[in-house]
Each structure stands twice: as C-alpha cells, then as structure tokens.
Amino acid sequence: MLNQATFKDLEIPFIAVATDYHSGDTVSLQTGNIAKALRASISVPAFLQPVEYHNRLLADGGLSDPVPADIVRQMGVDIVIAINLDMVPPETEHITIPSIHVVPAHAIDILQHHLALRSVKSADVVIAPDVAHIGWVGWDHFFNQTKTQKLIATGEEATLAAIPQIKEIITLKKKGQPLLRRVLNIFH
C-alpha cells in the first residue's frame, strides 16, 4: 500500500516509535522506509517478531514509551494531545492469590500503567478512555468486530468529551497565555 514510501515523501511530519530490543532504549524512527518503520513500531513481543532496522533489532515502542508525548513535544508542536489507554490502574477480582497463569499478565498491566503515566507528563491534554478491561493480553478485542466497535465508541465518547478543554487550550495558546496541563480522565 505504501509503495516503498519514505519519511521524505510525507507532507505531515511523522515519527514511528520503537524500542531497541537489546538495550530497551526508545528509538524515534524518522528516516527510511515507512512500512518497515511501522512494522518495527508494532512488533509486540509474543505476537510479532522484532525487526532489524537501521542496524538495530526493534520491537514495539510501547515497551519503552507507550504514550510518546515527549517525542511529539520535541517535534516542536504547539499543543500535545495524548491518548493514554493505560490510565486506569489495572484491577483484579482476585482477593486470594491469583493463579500462576494470571500473575504474569497482571504484572505487565501494572508495569504498563505506571510507564504510561510517566510518558504523558509532557502532554497538554491526556484523553484516557476506560479500556482497562482489555489489559495487555486483550488482543482478542481487536479481532472481534463487536468488541472493536465498543472500543471505538468508548474512544469517540472520551474524545468528544475532551473537545471543550482542547478548545480552551487552543484559545489560551492563541492569546499567548501559559498552558496548564490537563488530564482528562473520561470514562465511559
């Protein structure tokens, strides 16, 4: 679909974010083949193999920077609006010690939640739809049309609810007033 397009071919600036599989460092991809950069950026371990690109083995950017607001800020944009799908702390219904099968996935959910909270610190607005019920291993939601439609609706509702705050920030920016970071915990 991309016909060997490169970052130079884009009219709107874009950066794909990946994680160096060996060092764990966040890697901003903004040169070369877009398709390969995107493939590296979505290489979620256990689902897609890491990709060799620019002499590095790269995996999903969410491993090191799940909401790369800081990278967008470094691009020089005026207002950073971030979407954090890990804003809600992971909960468990287990009152007793959970089964050995549940522990690893829940532990990853906890790590992802706290990493995402750090990642959004430089955003002006953080929209956080309540999708905590998916978790790290909730990939079945993305392959089930009914579940996918519910996820899309949840995101749309959270975004629509954020529009007044976004307009307020745009107005403040136009007036040259300092922006106050807004975290919009909009749960539906």
Side-chain angles (χ1 to χ4, degrees):
M1 286 177 42
L2 296 172
N3 295 324
Q4 300 299 317
T6 67
F7 285 83
K8 290 179 183 177
D9 299 323
L10 298 174
E11 292 180 27
I12 298 172
F14 172 72
I15 295 177
V17 179
T19 300
D20 184 303
Y21 188 76
H22 296 298
S23 69
D25 293 337
T26 300
V27 180
S28 297
L29 303 171
Q30 49 194 333
T31 61
N33 183 288
I34 295 171
K36 194 158 187 177
L38 289 171
R39 174 58 178 80
S41 179
I42 64 166
S43 296
V44 177
F47 295 102
L48 295 171
Q49 287 285 80
V51 172
E52 188 175 331
Y53 190 62
H54 291 311
N55 298 316
R56 297 175 106 163
L57 190 60
L58 301 175
D60 182 24
L63 295 171
S64 59
D65 196 353
V67 189
D70 56 334
I71 292 171
V72 174
R73 175 76 63 207
Q74 292 168 10
M75 291 175 71
V77 301
D78 293 330
I79 299 170
V80 176
I81 301 170
I83 310 297
N84 186 356
L85 302 179
D86 293 304
M87 192 66 134
V88 179
E91 294 181 12
T92 181
E93 297 175 12
H94 302 284
I95 297 172
T96 59
I97 297 173
S99 73
I100 193 69
H101 298 77
V102 171
V103 171
H106 188 70
I108 290 170
D109 287 343
I110 292 168
L111 288 169
Q112 199 67 13
H113 167 72
H114 289 285
L115 183 57
L117 288 178
R118 285 192 203 115
S119 291
V120 299
K121 287 189 179 202
S122 66
D124 299 304
V125 176
V126 179
I127 301 171
D130 184 5
V131 293
H133 59 283
I134 297 172
W136 186 77
V137 293
W139 286 84
D140 65 317
H141 285 70
F142 299 102
F143 301 107
N144 176 307
Q145 187 171 3
T146 302
K147 291 178 181 179
T148 301
Q149 293 300 326
K150 288 180 182 176
L151 288 174
I152 291 169
T154 299
E156 287 174 346
E157 290 169 12
T159 302
L160 288 172
I163 289 175
Q165 289 83 5
I166 294 169
K167 286 181 177 180
E168 178 186 349
I169 287 179
I170 291 170
T171 300
L172 290 173
K173 182 69 176 174
K174 285 181 179 178
K175 291 179 179 178
Q177 296 178 357
L179 299 181
L180 300 174
R181 184 176 165 269
R182 312 278 181 163
V183 177
L184 305 174
N185 296 311
I186 301 163
F187 305 115
H188 298 278

